[in-house]
Amino acid sequence: MAEAIAAGAREAGAEVVVRDAYDADASEMDQYEGIAIGAYTWGDGELPDEFIDFYEALSNLDLSGRKAVVFGSGDSLYPIFCGAVDTIEAKLKEIGAELVLPGLKVEFDPSKDQMIECKAAGWLIAGSVPAVK
């Protein structure tokens, strides 16, 4: 999903940086005009352990004026499907980011159509609208 979003943003002319959460530094986020954050949902709607430090560091930022999208996978057998997406969206709103579309939630692995949605999300983050083909 991250790579599809990145591909869409690149096609729209944006420079793209992709990082895993455990390698990312939340303080870098204020350097970017557009942000995509993704995480799988663990257990009953929780963030994965390797994502917690990054998530908590977001509280120190002001992302006002930044376009953002959140994406992630989950298991619909749990009562809260893709709860990590909802948690991250709430945090981004709290620190001023503008969500350009509702969170992209998938069951385990994205379908071909969901990958197209991810690519379109990259275009939106980059400030363009993909041409209909």
Side-chain angles (χ1 to χ4, degrees), residues 89-123:
E89 281 186 317
K91 177 60 74 180
L92 288 176
K93 286 179 187 176
E94 177 185 312
I95 61 175
E98 173 197 345
L99 297 173
V100 296
L101 51 89
L104 300 168
K105 298 178 178 184
V106 303
E107 178 93 14
F108 302 117
D109 294 313
S111 67
K112 183 178 177 182
D113 288 343
Q114 289 168 323
M115 290 298 283
I116 291 168
E117 288 178 39
C118 289
K119 198 169 188 181
W123 278 83

